[in-house]
Amino acid sequence: MTHEKDHKGQEAHAGQDQQPTRTYLSVAGLRARGWTPGMVRQLLGEPDQLRTNPYFRSAPQTRLYRTERVEAAERSEEFRSASAAAARRSAAARAAALRRRREVLARIAAEPVDVPRLAPHTLATLAVEHRNRRDEERALWRWGHVADPATVESAEPGALDRWKVNYLRHRLTRYDEILDELFGRIGRAAAEDLLRRRVYAAISKAYPDLAQECERQLRERECGPSPG
């Protein structure tokens, strides 16, 4: 009796360890196995079943393919050939993307960043005017925002430094223009980061008294606002 119970228990345990076989595979499941859309069309054709999305009835139906048909196709020479071709295309696309990214970064590294040196009062006046214009523009599109004009005399030192850096960054360099040119380009995020660092470094060099504010803005952009 004891041996019989042990044998049944082992059979039950083995049954629990066995994973249920998947009858169908979705397009996402095929993609995870290395299938591309072209390979699906070429080697599998029409799906074996269409299933309505249980959460969004208006969404396209889910295409399902019988697992045994998929596995049979994966054993074919056509699949191996198509898979190898897809891998080559993918590698070529990655290499091209990497090349374009390097080209964008090289261009940003070579871009002149000239920050003119202005007299302290002139810079302060222009920075406040720039701040007031942007505040007026913000009142036009942000509901509930009321423009609050500032003056050089009324501005707090920390705020005035922030406005000076913002003015120099946006008005006296090609910062915004270059970013617009990079829109949609591969490597834009890395290029934007490099450009930002170069602009802040140039401002700090031209205006050492603004170096701390440049460091603060750069840290805030990369790490988020400081708590409190």
Side-chain angles (χ1 to χ4, degrees), residues 91-166:
R94 287 195 300 270
L98 181 59
R99 184 179 65 253
R100 287 194 291 270
R101 184 177 186 274
R102 287 172 175 168
E103 290 172 353
V104 168
L105 290 176
R107 182 206 158 179
I108 295 300
E111 181 70 30
V113 180
D114 299 319
V115 179
R117 290 174 171 82
L118 304 175
H121 183 71
T122 300
L123 176 57
T125 300
L126 293 173
V128 170
E129 291 176 355
H130 176 65
R131 178 266 174 198
N132 288 342
R133 280 196 302 271
R134 291 176 68 89
D135 193 46
E136 290 174 1
E137 294 170 358
R138 193 176 298 111
L140 296 177
W141 57 264
R142 180 180 293 179
W143 176 260
H145 181 79
V146 178
D148 183 22
T151 64
V152 174
E153 293 73 23
S154 66
E156 296 181 357
L160 187 56
D161 283 350
R162 183 171 71 253
W163 300 341
K164 289 177 181 178
V165 172
N166 291 342

Side-chain angles (χ1 to χ4, degrees), residues 174-187:
R174 294 186 60 239
Y175 183 84
D176 290 333
E177 181 184 344
I178 295 171
L179 290 184
D180 289 341
E181 293 173 1
L182 292 175
F183 181 77
R185 298 279 296 276
I186 292 176

Side-chain angles (χ1 to χ4, degrees), residues 189-215:
E192 182 176 352
D193 180 66
L194 176 60
L195 175 62
R196 183 187 302 122
R197 286 178 170 274
R198 291 196 63 215
V199 168
Y200 280 126
I203 294 174
S204 298
K205 183 177 180 180
Y207 299 91
D209 58 313
L210 296 177
Q212 187 173 353
E213 173 60 23
C214 288
E215 292 176 4

Side-chain angles (χ1 to χ4, degrees), residues 82-95:
S83 181
R88 288 193 297 270
R89 288 194 299 271
S90 179
R94 287 195 300 270

